[in-house]
Amino acid sequence: MAEQTVLVAIDIGTTKVCVLIGEMAARGGVDVIGIGQAASDGLRKGVVIDIDRTVQSVASAVEAAERISGLKVRSAFVGISGSHISSQNSRGMVAVSGSSRHDVDRGDTVRAIEAARAVSIPNTREILHVVPRGYVVDGQEGVRDPIGMTAVRLEVETHIVTASSTSVQNLTKCVQRAGVEIDELVLAPMATAEATLNDEDRELGVCLADIGGDTTDVAIFQDGSISHCATIPMGGRSVTADLGIVLRVTPDVAESVKFRYGSAVPMNVDPDEVLQVTSIGEESSHGVTRRHIAEIVESRVSEIFKFIGAEIEAAGATNRLQAGLVLTGGGSLLNGVQRAARDQLGMSARIAGPTGLGGLTDQIATPPYSAASGLLLWGARNWPSEEDRASGRALEGVTSRIGKIFKGLMP
Ligand SMILES: Nc1ncnc2c1ncn2[C@@H]1O[C@H](COP(=O)(O)OP(=O)(O)OP(=O)(O)O)[C@@H](O)[C@H]1O
Ligand SMILES: [Mg+2]
């Protein structure tokens, strides 16, 4: 098998690490040929706090995926998120120097994006992505693809995503110590979007929320591209922790109560149904109504939606997201979450699992695997074509591990 047709995704979550090995299919698209998963306990709120444990989780997930595929993992696309991520809009401007008269060429767009990239950011942070959102050609706003247009001045509107350097370094260290080089660090919700949103969602305006274990990643897309992103430091595990505290039960018991009886809509739960639970340190069980459990769940879920609403407001997107809310991640599987989202945010909501991959997808066709699947799709979309390889342009892309601008330019 030609090595350049194989690519790997690693999603390092707060509850699990998931590794997917994909093969570019001859017909186009990507087939999953290896899956590996391991429990993750070296992160808090999306950020590595224990390198050794994280390395162990990554290494064991990589090994499992290698066993299934029969291939050795050398490098991977790796997701990054956490509240240290921030983003801003920036405009870059250049004079058009196109080869034939003043026709905008690819070089002009690259220079414009370089100019937008030259924003001042503190030296404790680094740029992850510079995403072009649209061009202004001689003052004409809203141009999607300026290449070939005649102009004197080209401006680009970009969305710049930055991350704390120490978080980037620690994550990189964990992956490298597990024996894997990094093709690219990708903002997790941007990857997740690849697997859960379609072009129409992005055009109409949509808020994607990946409700994970310790975190909920939010990304807002308007007019076709990302306009805002944030990480909320709570998720499905926060619901479990609340149940554990209020019912005074162990995390395992709380998790199983949540899975079996949890609901985010108390009104839909029979107020007379009583469960027996045994609190820590007690010998006999006592009764708790299912409605009380739902009220505990609802209060945390509604807090999460309050924060999501605040991010939509911060993006200036209130009442403007016609495609509504798309929920994914393990937390979206909690009973009643979709209804709670609609009621609280007053917008349509759907739950999405990953789509777009072929091969071994049975196991991963559910919301907890949207980020890993999206990373594979992201990798495939940014993989240098034969033509790019032949012309040496790939040097600016994946193969040199530094192709951030190049990738932003891919259609
Ligand atoms: N069927 C289900 N019902 C309720 N909750 C569920 C279900 N399946 C998974 N969860 C919850 O989803 C959470 C884990 O989600 P996920 O696997 O997306 O997290 P992660 O990717 O490891 O974390 P993060 O994205 O925060 O880094 C856990 O809190 C788990 O309890
Ligand atoms: Mg996740």
Side-chain angles (χ1 to χ4, degrees):
M1 190 186 303
E3 193 175 287
Q4 64 264 31
T5 62
V6 173
L7 67 165
V8 179
I10 306 183
D11 170 35
I12 303 175
T14 53
T15 69
K16 64 170 195 313
V17 174
C18 177
V19 173
L20 298 180
I21 302 180
E23 188 188 13
M24 305 284 254
R27 57 172 199 289
V30 194
D31 286 339
V32 177
I33 56 169
I35 301 170
Q37 186 171 315
S40 160
D41 58 1
L43 282 84
R44 284 292 167 277
K45 310 292 178 201
V47 169
V48 175
I49 54 147
D50 186 326
I51 295 210
D52 290 343
R53 282 177 177 222
T54 308
V55 171
Q56 258 172 31
S57 303
V58 173
S60 73
V62 165
E63 252 175 63
E66 286 177 338
R67 263 199 307 279
I68 292 177
S69 66
L71 295 170
K72 176 100 188 95
V73 171
R74 292 208 171 82
S75 66
F77 290 84
V78 178
I80 181 166
S81 77
S83 39
H84 63 99
I85 301 281
S86 69
S87 66
Q88 63 191 91
N89 292 322
S90 166
R91 193 176 263 219
M93 190 191 83
V94 289
V96 174
S97 64
S99 45
S100 60
R101 290 171 312 173
H102 283 294
D103 289 353
V104 177
D105 64 16
R106 194 180 165 95
D108 295 315
T109 55
V110 170
R111 284 189 307 114
I113 292 168
E114 278 288 7
R117 190 189 174 93
V119 283
S120 75
I121 55 161
N123 60 8
T124 53
R125 302 190 65 76
E126 55 191 78
I127 293 179
L128 282 181
H129 302 285
V130 182
V131 188
R133 306 198 64 228
Y135 294 86
V136 183
V137 179
D138 281 352
Q140 172 71 52
E141 302 255 353
V143 176
R144 282 282 161 84
D145 181 7
I147 291 175
M149 292 177 83
T150 302
V152 177
R153 194 178 73 205
L154 176 71
E155 291 163 85
V156 64
E157 204 52 78
T158 65
H159 192 64
I160 296 187
V161 181
T162 66
S164 123
S165 304
T166 49
S167 297
V168 166
Q169 280 156 16
N170 286 332
L171 190 67
T172 303
K173 205 178 275 178
C174 291
V175 175
Q176 288 177 341
R177 283 208 193 154
V180 179
E181 286 301 319
I182 294 180
D183 285 322
E184 189 185 10
L185 280 181
V186 184
L187 178 69
M190 235 148 83
T192 307
E194 296 282 324
T196 51
L197 302 183
N198 54 43
D199 290 346
E200 200 181 18
D201 292 327
R202 290 182 176 89
E203 281 304 326
L204 290 172
V206 70
C207 173
L208 173 66
D210 177 345
I211 310 177
D214 277 358
T215 63
T216 296
D217 283 335
V218 178
I220 293 168
F221 294 80
Q222 289 175 283
D223 302 322
S225 56
I226 189 165
S227 63
H228 183 77
C229 63
T231 297
I232 297 164
M234 54 186 89
R237 199 142 71 180
S238 321
V239 176
T240 305
D242 293 347
L243 287 168
I245 291 166
V246 179
L247 305 177
R248 289 181 289 114
V249 294
T250 62
D252 285 350
V253 171
E255 182 81 345
S256 95
V257 166
K258 180 178 85 171
F259 266 63
R260 288 162 73 183
Y261 309 105
S263 166
V265 187
M267 250 174 31
N268 288 354
V269 174
D270 179 354
D272 300 324
E273 191 179 341
V274 176
L275 313 174
Q276 293 298 317
V277 296
T278 308
S279 293
I280 299 169
E282 278 175 20
E283 274 169 17
S284 54
S285 63
H286 62 275
V288 181
T289 64
R290 241 186 110 172
R291 179 160 285 184
H292 183 50
I293 288 167
E295 282 162 358
I296 301 166
V297 172
E298 180 201 32
S299 89
R300 179 62 77 164
V301 166
S302 104
E303 192 176 10
I304 293 174
F305 287 128
K306 193 177 88 199
F307 278 100
I308 294 175
E311 294 303 337
I312 294 174
E313 205 179 317
T318 310
N319 299 325
R320 295 175 67 181
L321 303 176
Q322 288 183 58
L325 185 66
V326 172
L327 299 169
T328 192
S332 73
L333 292 170
L334 186 59
N335 236 316
V337 157
Q338 189 178 7
R339 164 86 190 272
R342 282 189 196 138
D343 290 354
Q344 194 169 331
L345 294 173
M347 59 203 280
S348 67
R350 71 170 200 261
I351 295 180
T355 57
L357 290 171
L360 305 173
T361 54
D362 286 4
Q363 233 181 300
I364 55 164
T366 65
Y369 300 100
S370 295
S373 305
L375 280 164
L376 213 49
L377 290 165
W378 172 283
R381 199 155 69 82
N382 293 287
W383 204 244
S385 63
E386 286 298 320
E387 196 189 318
D388 284 332
R389 282 171 189 278
S391 70
R393 281 208 300 240
L395 282 179
E396 225 192 313
V398 171
T399 51
S400 72
R401 331 265 187 238
I402 56 156
K404 286 165 186 161
I405 289 193
F406 184 74
K407 288 182 189 79
L409 285 171
M410 301 301 275

